[in-house]
Amino acid sequence: MASRKKVLLKVIILGDSGVGKTSLMNQYVNKKFSTQYKATIGADFLTKEVMVDDRLVTMQIWDTAGQERFQSLGVAFYRGADCCVLVYDVNNNKSFETLDSWRDEFLIQASPRDPENFPFVVLGNKIDMEESKRAVSQKRAMTWCQSKGNIPYFETSAKEAINVENAFQTIAKNALQQETDADFYNDFPDPIKIDNDTSKYDSCGC
Amino acid sequence: MEHIETVKWNVLERFSKVARFSRDTAANILEHPLARPIVPHLPPGVNNLLQSDPTVEEYDAGRLYLAKWALNVAEQAEDAARLEHPDQLLSNNWRKRWSDTELKPWEEETEVGTFEVLSGDSTLPPLHASRSEPLNAEKWFSFFDDAEGRLRVEISEVREAVFRGGVEDDIRIEVWKFFLGIYPWDSSRVERDSILEAKKKEYLDLKREWWDDPEVQSSSNYKEQKCRIEKDVIRTDRTISFFAVEDIPHPDPLSSASSTLTNNHLESMKAILMTYNFYKKDLGYVQGMSDLLAPVYVVMRDEITAFWAFVGFMNRVESNFYRDQVSMRKQLLTLDHLIQFMDPRLYKHLQKTESLNLFFCFRWILIWFKREFKWDDVLYLWEVLWTDYLSPQFHLFFALAILDKHRDIIMENLNQFDEILKYVNELSMNIRLDETLLRAETLFLQFQRMVNAIDRKRLENTKETSEGVRRRKGKDPASDEEGETSSSSNTTTAKLPVVSDLLRELLNNESSQF
């Protein structure tokens, strides 16, 4: 009964504490929003079946704790990721500035075969807040994304479901592309384990 | 429709039994004429089980569904059985773990198996774990003398009482002050009053360090921590009435949350965590601490006492939050050893599924099962764990007990790390507390007995070997320290399970905290 190989796309959401990782995931998968999602401890994931380029695929979206010290035990689920979503809060400068470290950390821990071309997507969340609170301009964010190899960028609101569907369509598409490439390369190498450097950032994004 | 439900039930039941053997068998069942009309009514994941390529091992929602379903069936069966034979359930798993000839790693080549070593001694009484009613006010006050209000019984008696049943609501506030180190156990009533006075002053001094110091408040560290605390407090236990109300405006117009309303309890929580941030400068506030504070705050009902009670709790668990995460790793490793020692089959399965990082136990251990139980259960569980009655690390036996309960389901249904993680995460709010405590105690007693049996066996073998050596060599056995390991005849000892240092620490029942 062997049919065409089932596709499972593994997506990891990273970013500072409180930028809206859990909210984005829940808005996309369950079409729900709550201001009271508890701070994520450890990790969890949700799955959703989506059509990408006429293929039915399952997205497995991993939500992680935002405080960096808790990432060190999380290497287990970085493995085999097909796309990494970096989230920051547009009203919060610090959460934008730490995107670099989140990206580096992911590349070190997941050690994809072709780090230069590994698909990232950046989401600037909470655009529903009043304009006067905005701390990171769209231009600045896009410049950063361009400098990192043209990372696709979306401005979203998990609360008001703005651009969330759109962003995850791109995430799915790029993840599928990666999955296909990874097959070609025959899977990931074993990840290099790096001991936690105590000097690393441990940021809240404030 | 009722008919469909019944058949669906039957199909699923059979299906869950065979899914672990092969998908072919599963397909056979679903192709049975009776089952075919049911197929469209099955949950989507189950159908996928058949359509996917059996050689590709990937996360499968269908397996997860079956696992949860199997749990449901098992719990119903247990409930039924418990009514008839309340004592037998826990011993069943024990037999399953050890009497299975398929896997007893250290036993394969020995004549005297571990199981015999452990169970062969018929002189041992049966293990007996028990729970009792919560400690009530009358009993609690009877522990103290009238004149001075000093404890007049052994601390262990208090510990046992709380361990067995927790405490009733009306005395919780007093009992926790002892267990959380605000009151020394040997204090008198007068001493306790003066301790509270002193603590009050000390807290206000600590709080003043940041409360009205503009310089401190302008530092980037302060701002960052303030923001972090704020973000976490406003999403901690907001369904509890203390924290649900929003009746005052946000005190800080510059905060990113300034547009939201708050209440006095939320503001006290923030103040406590910020003061703790200054009290423990090297550690500071770390995510997860607000989860630990909330129940302590609600029980203590005021900022100052709650702060010191929280400090007492943190003294036990602060290393969970250290940046290097060494303590978390150590606890997970101890749990790893414990599983390997107590349930080699489950251990193998976790190994096979690359799940031995035990990441799915991380949340349990970091915040002491706070997210796994409803509010009242958390209060009860924590006070039980604080007693250190059997082991200062009883929380690891508690973790083992949860896994133990689900071991069959995990082994039969879940083949991937992510499936296990999801299954375990979804146990949240669905774990029976008293049953798990009973199971944890039984596991502890079994563990203790095994360690003793192994030590005894090792000692016997050493003696026999030494005597043998003495007979052969005719000299003092004390000079032959290598006797135990160098003896070729002594295979039993070599095959005994290793009791690692981490495991021995579990038996070190000296309450190091207070």
Side-chain angles (χ1 to χ4, degrees):
Chain A
M1 206 161 173
S3 57
R4 184 158 71 168
K5 190 187 164 190
K6 206 174 98 187
V7 181
L8 182 82
L9 302 177
K10 191 167 172 179
V11 175
I12 315 281
I13 308 183
L14 299 178
D16 280 1
S17 171
V19 296
K21 297 180 292 296
T22 306
S23 296
L24 283 162
M25 178 177 83
N26 273 290
Q27 178 59 260
Y28 176 59
V29 177
N30 298 322
K31 308 271 177 262
K32 276 187 204 149
F33 177 79
S34 158
T35 51
Q36 285 165 20
Y37 288 121
K38 294 180 174 183
T40 305
I41 307 257
D44 201 357
F45 63 84
L46 292 177
T47 54
K48 183 179 168 101
E49 300 209 328
V50 279
M51 291 296 291
V52 189
D53 302 338
D54 297 331
R55 282 185 84 176
L56 185 65
V57 300
T58 305
M59 276 229 263
Q60 184 188 54
I61 305 164
W62 286 77
D63 179 27
T64 60
Q67 200 158 358
E68 183 274 342
R69 70 187 63 186
F70 297 132
Q71 295 279 323
S72 64
L73 287 147
V75 188
F77 53 77
Y78 281 17
R79 280 181 77 174
D82 298 302
C83 181
C84 175
V85 181
L86 302 172
V87 184
Y88 78 98
D89 171 357
V90 296
N91 312 295
N92 189 320
N93 190 43
K94 187 83 180 287
S95 72
F96 176 71
E97 285 174 353
T98 50
L99 287 186
D100 257 314
S101 351
W102 283 113
R103 181 176 170 276
D104 294 348
E105 179 75 7
F106 175 82
L107 289 174
I108 291 167
Q109 301 289 6
S111 55
R113 191 165 297 268
D114 184 9
E116 292 297 308
N117 295 308
F118 185 86
F120 286 90
V121 171
V122 170
L123 307 185
N125 193 36
K126 303 198 188 182
I127 56 162
D128 51 273
M129 304 261 277
E130 52 202 280
E131 188 58 33
S132 63
K133 301 235 174 197
R134 179 122 188 180
V136 181
S137 71
Q138 186 173 30
K139 191 173 166 218
R140 187 168 155 221
M142 289 180 84
T143 309
W144 185 84
C145 288
Q146 273 162 17
S147 75
K148 299 291 171 187
N150 276 322
I151 300 178
Y153 174 66
F154 294 87
E155 301 210 328
T156 58
S157 162
K159 185 178 181 183
E160 307 198 338
I162 301 169
N163 238 352
V164 177
E165 188 70 36
N166 223 345
F168 274 92
Q169 267 298 324
T170 300
I171 292 163
K173 207 176 158 104
N174 293 2
L176 181 62
Q177 178 66 38
Q178 165 69 15
E179 169 80 13
T180 319
D181 292 353
D183 268 359
F184 180 74
Y185 283 116
N186 215 349
D187 217 356
F188 277 54
D190 283 338
I192 304 160
K193 276 207 178 147
I194 307 259
D195 277 332
N196 222 16
D197 177 350
T198 50
S199 67
K200 263 185 229 155
Y201 66 98
D202 195 14
S203 177
C204 161
C206 299
Chain B
M1 200 57 213
E2 201 181 315
H3 170 70
I4 290 203
E5 279 305 308
T6 318
V7 182
K8 181 171 141 188
W9 180 264
N10 289 335
V11 168
L12 275 171
E13 182 168 23
R14 277 212 222 147
F15 196 24
S16 75
K17 284 181 185 149
V18 296
R20 60 183 183 264
F21 296 125
S22 80
R23 287 157 200 269
D24 287 348
T25 326
N28 284 341
I29 289 189
L30 288 195
E31 276 161 18
H32 189 278
L34 270 178
R36 228 173 289 139
I38 306 306
V39 172
H41 300 281
L42 290 173
V46 177
N47 267 323
N48 286 349
L49 265 181
L50 300 172
Q51 286 154 12
S52 53
D53 179 348
T55 60
V56 180
E57 281 297 328
E58 262 188 353
Y59 170 76
D60 203 319
R63 282 200 291 266
L64 202 65
Y65 181 90
L66 284 177
K68 284 194 231 164
W69 186 84
L71 171 64
N72 210 331
V73 174
E75 286 201 324
Q76 284 175 19
E78 270 176 31
D79 287 344
R82 187 178 294 109
L83 290 173
E84 292 183 22
H85 308 288
D87 289 340
Q88 280 184 7
L89 285 169
L90 292 163
S91 55
N92 280 346
N93 252 12
W94 171 241
R95 218 166 294 134
K96 231 183 310 183
R97 283 193 298 271
W98 291 100
S99 62
D100 194 324
T101 48
E102 175 191 324
L103 193 115
K104 277 176 272 178
W106 49 81
E107 205 177 325
E108 282 157 8
E109 301 153 35
T110 59
E111 285 165 23
V112 184
T114 313
F115 189 64
E116 282 99 298
V117 170
L118 300 167
S119 61
D121 192 345
S122 54
T123 60
L124 292 172
L127 294 168
H128 191 67
S130 67
R131 306 296 308 156
S132 55
E133 290 297 304
L135 181 64
N136 61 27
E138 193 189 345
K139 178 91 176 157
W140 168 253
F141 290 117
S142 77
F143 289 150
F144 297 85
D145 68 40
D146 288 338
E148 285 191 79
R150 281 189 200 275
L151 194 67
R152 55 184 189 80
V153 295
E154 291 294 316
I155 299 174
S156 59
E157 189 179 326
V158 187
R159 286 208 174 106
E160 176 166 15
V162 176
F163 175 80
R164 294 263 169 245
V167 305
E168 287 193 346
D169 287 343
D170 56 346
I171 52 166
R172 183 161 277 138
I173 182 168
E174 281 307 297
V175 179
W176 280 26
K177 284 178 196 164
F178 283 90
F179 279 105
L180 292 176
I182 296 180
Y183 296 153
W185 285 103
D186 58 3
S187 59
S188 69
R189 199 178 297 120
V190 176
E191 284 164 350
R192 290 196 285 274
D193 287 346
S194 64
I195 285 171
L196 276 191
E197 276 307 305
K199 293 276 184 198
K200 189 171 180 177
K201 185 181 176 307
E202 197 183 344
Y203 176 75
L204 293 174
D205 286 346
L206 284 167
K207 187 174 173 181
R208 215 165 285 129
E209 262 191 64
W210 61 274
W211 181 252
D212 44 26
D213 187 334
E215 199 178 320
V216 168
Q217 294 190 4
S218 64
S219 73
S220 65
N221 176 274
Y222 173 86
K223 283 183 187 160
E224 189 176 319
Q225 288 299 76
K226 180 170 183 289
C227 168
R228 179 176 285 159
I229 288 167
E230 179 120 10
K231 272 180 182 161
D232 286 349
V233 167
I234 58 169
R235 49 181 175 163
T236 302
D237 295 310
R238 293 299 298 279
T239 53
I240 299 300
S241 62
F242 261 60
F243 306 126
V245 193
E246 296 185 337
D247 56 4
I248 58 170
H250 197 282
D252 179 4
L254 296 174
S255 158
S256 61
S258 62
S259 54
T260 57
L261 292 171
T262 172
N263 74 41
N264 287 324
H265 296 305
L266 293 172
E267 294 309 304
S268 289
M269 288 268 290
K270 292 178 197 170
I272 292 170
L273 292 169
M274 184 52 90
T275 307
Y276 185 80
N277 182 68
F278 280 85
Y279 177 69
K280 288 273 172 176
K281 288 197 176 68
D282 291 342
L283 178 59
Y285 172 78
V286 182
Q287 207 157 69
M289 290 182 187
S290 67
D291 272 281
L292 299 184
L293 172 60
V296 171
Y297 177 79
V298 171
V299 168
M300 293 297 153
R301 292 174 222 158
D302 88 285
E303 187 176 321
I304 296 172
T305 330
F307 173 80
W308 291 111
F310 175 67
V311 166
F313 192 3
M314 285 305 298
N315 285 343
R316 299 186 64 116
V317 296
E318 66 171 40
S319 62
N320 285 5
F321 297 95
Y322 289 172
R323 196 176 288 267
D324 61 19
Q325 291 288 288
V326 166
S327 171
M328 284 302 296
R329 282 172 211 269
K330 184 182 168 190
Q331 291 172 81
L332 290 170
L333 187 62
T334 307
L335 187 56
D336 168 297
H337 288 196
L338 198 53
I339 298 168
Q340 187 169 20
F341 188 81
M342 297 292 286
D343 193 349
R345 289 195 63 208
L346 176 62
Y347 189 82
K348 272 245 152 134
H349 185 77
L350 295 176
Q351 197 167 35
K352 202 179 74 196
T353 53
E354 296 182 22
S355 305
L356 276 182
N357 51 52
L358 300 181
F359 192 74
F360 43 83
C361 304
F362 182 85
R363 186 174 73 193
W364 295 358
I365 293 173
L366 185 81
I367 50 171
W368 277 36
F369 307 92
K370 166 74 174 358
R371 300 277 180 91
E372 320 312 317
F373 292 95
K374 295 196 180 72
W375 185 264
D376 290 344
D377 277 356
V378 169
L379 307 184
Y380 173 28
L381 174 60
W382 284 2
E383 63 206 11
V384 167
L385 293 175
W386 288 332
T387 64
D388 295 325
Y389 178 62
L390 290 176
S391 166
Q393 298 188 72
F394 194 69
H395 66 294
L396 297 182
F397 287 92
F398 190 80
L400 180 67
I402 302 176
L403 294 176
D404 185 59
K405 157 137 185 168
H406 299 274
R407 69 182 293 282
D408 289 353
I409 290 168
I410 291 172
M411 291 194 300
E412 286 167 12
N413 297 285
L414 306 175
N415 300 333
Q416 300 287 315
F417 163 72
D418 45 10
E419 290 168 3
I420 297 176
L421 179 123
K422 189 76 186 164
Y423 180 81
V424 169
N425 276 352
E426 291 189 356
L427 291 177
S428 172
M429 302 300 151
N430 197 21
I431 305 173
R432 298 169 175 193
L433 180 50
D434 259 315
E435 179 197 304
T436 311
L437 283 168
L438 262 183
R439 195 184 285 269
E441 185 183 356
T442 309
L443 286 163
F444 173 83
L445 296 173
Q446 286 165 350
F447 170 74
Q448 192 178 38
R449 184 175 281 186
M450 268 178 74
V451 172
N452 289 341
I454 288 165
D455 287 349
R456 203 167 49 238
K457 192 77 194 161
R458 232 180 260 278
L459 195 69
E460 279 168 19
N461 291 338
T462 312
K463 271 192 208 143
E464 280 166 23
T465 312
S466 305
E467 278 162 17
V469 168
R470 188 165 41 198
R471 272 197 300 277
R472 280 202 306 278
K473 297 186 183 172
K475 65 175 188 183
D476 183 5
S479 67
D480 192 352
E481 287 168 10
E482 298 297 306
E484 183 184 332
T485 45
S486 64
S487 166
S488 58
S489 66
N490 194 357
T491 48
T492 326
T493 305
K495 297 294 177 197
L496 283 171
V498 178
V499 185
S500 67
D501 290 345
L502 288 176
L503 290 181
R504 289 204 185 273
E505 277 182 35
L506 295 171
L507 294 171
N508 177 15
N509 189 21
E510 276 170 32
S511 173
S512 54
Q513 302 302 322
F514 307 113

